[in-house]
Amino acid sequence: MSESSNRPPVSLSPGQWSFTRWRTVGQLEALDVNHPLFRATVFLQGAHLTHFAPRDEADWLWLSETARLEPGRAIRGGVPVCWPWFGAPERNAPEVKRRIHASQAHGFARTALWKLEDVRESAHEVEISLSLDANEDFRDLWSGHALALMTFNFSVRGCQIALTTTNLSSEPLAFSQALHSYFPTADISRSRVLGLGQSNYIDTLQEWDYRSQDGPVYFDGEVDRIYESGEPLTIVTPRGSRKLRTVGSDSTVVWNPGPEKAARLSDFPDQAWKKMLCVETANAAGDYRVLNEGQSHTLGVLIGRG
């Protein structure tokens, strides 16, 4: 999946960073990347990417105008990290569900404070790595011990995101997850997702029935589907297109809240559903993963030009 140049980014300490700076945004700490070729913003809370764009281009990601940057509150937009479970706890496989002691959807990683591991920079790329040790501190929410490592690689060609989970416990660990990527569009009614034709999917809005996709995915009101596919995809909007290439995924979530749910969502303007869509790289539904002691699994996506 990597599209690295011949000279890999060099690991640097804060005093040596050329393009990366600490910045407080709202009430949260972020790493701001201002490279001659591109820009990006990554928050320590949630290891959350909220902005990426090559120089002089519009943001490749969608961020709500009313997103609240506060401790303990998930950021609406960008790429939230759903981990170590995806969706409502009760909708997960029994092996995943039995570890969850909370009612909240999408796990705790997106509101947890991650640790900065490394910043690597070169003339062509910037790579940022953050980690979350899910240990006894989270026992009220979840039973398990795992290390999550999030790595972002930015270049003028695109944005590569990789989430690696390592089981640090002595017993098998089952988990589900997603990179909940939000993308902008000028008009949701003129947007579509290519590459899921002939895939089966779970329609969560129709009593979780299984259905089959015929042709591109279009948006006409609320859409919330879990596709049994990890194939390369293309998002086509009036603004242009983006290609998604994944690793470690055999499920893709496509979501748009539509007008009625948008009115109920927090930190989401009532009309914003017309200007965004989510295509999420996932291990969801039957695609949950199990790791034995010491094993690792990487879920990743490369967001590139269409």
Side-chain angles (χ1 to χ4, degrees), residues 96-301:
V96 177
K97 183 168 60 175
R98 71 177 181 84
R99 293 184 171 276
I100 304 171
H101 312 308
S103 60
Q104 69 202 49
H106 297 322
F108 51 79
R110 61 182 182 154
T111 55
L113 190 63
W114 292 54
K115 175 187 175 184
L116 176 64
E117 291 289 345
D118 201 6
V119 174
R120 294 171 176 262
E121 298 183 336
S122 75
H124 303 286
E125 297 175 287
V126 172
E127 184 175 279
I128 295 175
S129 299
L130 303 101
S131 68
L132 177 65
D133 185 356
N135 52 25
E136 286 295 308
D137 293 344
F138 298 94
R139 64 181 177 273
D140 292 341
L141 302 173
W142 181 71
S143 296
H145 187 194
L147 180 69
L149 179 67
M150 178 68 85
T151 303
F152 300 94
N153 185 281
F154 307 114
S155 74
V156 71
R157 296 179 300 277
C159 167
Q160 182 174 299
I161 308 170
L163 172 59
T164 299
T165 301
T166 302
N167 181 12
L168 300 180
S169 67
S170 59
E171 61 179 32
L173 176 69
F175 64 102
S176 57
Q177 58 183 342
L179 302 172
H180 196 309
S181 308
Y182 287 75
F183 296 97
T185 178
D187 184 353
I188 190 63
S189 68
R190 294 191 291 142
S191 304
R192 60 194 184 276
V193 180
L194 310 179
L196 292 169
Q198 310 307 314
S199 298
N200 293 325
Y201 67 89
I202 299 170
D203 192 334
T204 71
L205 304 177
Q206 300 295 328
E207 300 183 348
W208 286 66
D209 283 347
Y210 271 88
R211 305 197 172 187
S212 182
Q213 180 67 38
D214 182 16
V217 180
Y218 292 96
F219 298 85
D220 180 15
E222 185 177 358
V223 173
D224 192 352
R225 303 171 182 172
I226 303 173
Y227 284 85
E228 296 180 336
S229 174
E231 294 300 311
L233 304 177
T234 302
I235 301 171
V236 180
T237 76
R239 287 179 50 173
S241 61
R242 294 280 173 258
K243 289 191 179 296
L244 308 182
R245 298 204 334 252
T246 69
V247 297
S249 169
D250 290 314
S251 53
T252 298
V253 180
V254 179
W255 180 74
N256 179 280
E260 294 182 7
K261 186 167 185 177
R264 303 193 302 269
L265 289 174
S266 61
D267 308 336
F268 196 98
D270 288 354
Q271 300 300 311
W273 64 275
K274 299 177 181 178
K275 302 294 184 181
M276 54 69 63
L277 65 150
C278 287
V279 180
E280 309 169 36
T281 304
N283 295 131
D287 184 36
Y288 71 94
R289 299 301 165 106
V290 180
L291 298 175
N292 291 322
E293 179 182 2
Q295 285 187 326
S296 298
H297 170 71
T298 297
L299 176 73
V301 61

Side-chain angles (χ1 to χ4, degrees), residues 35-114:
H35 192 278
L37 300 177
F38 52 84
R39 292 182 178 179
T41 302
V42 176
F43 285 83
L44 263 65
Q45 178 172 286
H48 196 134
L49 176 66
T50 59
H51 174 83
F52 170 76
R55 180 70 64 173
D56 299 325
E57 291 189 26
D59 198 343
W60 284 23
L61 303 171
W62 179 88
L63 181 67
S64 173
E65 295 176 357
T66 58
R68 293 162 63 181
L69 306 175
E70 301 172 357
R73 189 180 190 93
I75 301 171
R76 178 71 72 182
V79 186
V81 179
C82 304
W83 186 93
W85 68 88
F86 172 80
E90 65 272 15
R91 287 296 186 177
N92 278 268
E95 297 93 328
V96 177
K97 183 168 60 175
R98 71 177 181 84
R99 293 184 171 276
I100 304 171
H101 312 308
S103 60
Q104 69 202 49
H106 297 322
F108 51 79
R110 61 182 182 154
T111 55
L113 190 63
W114 292 54

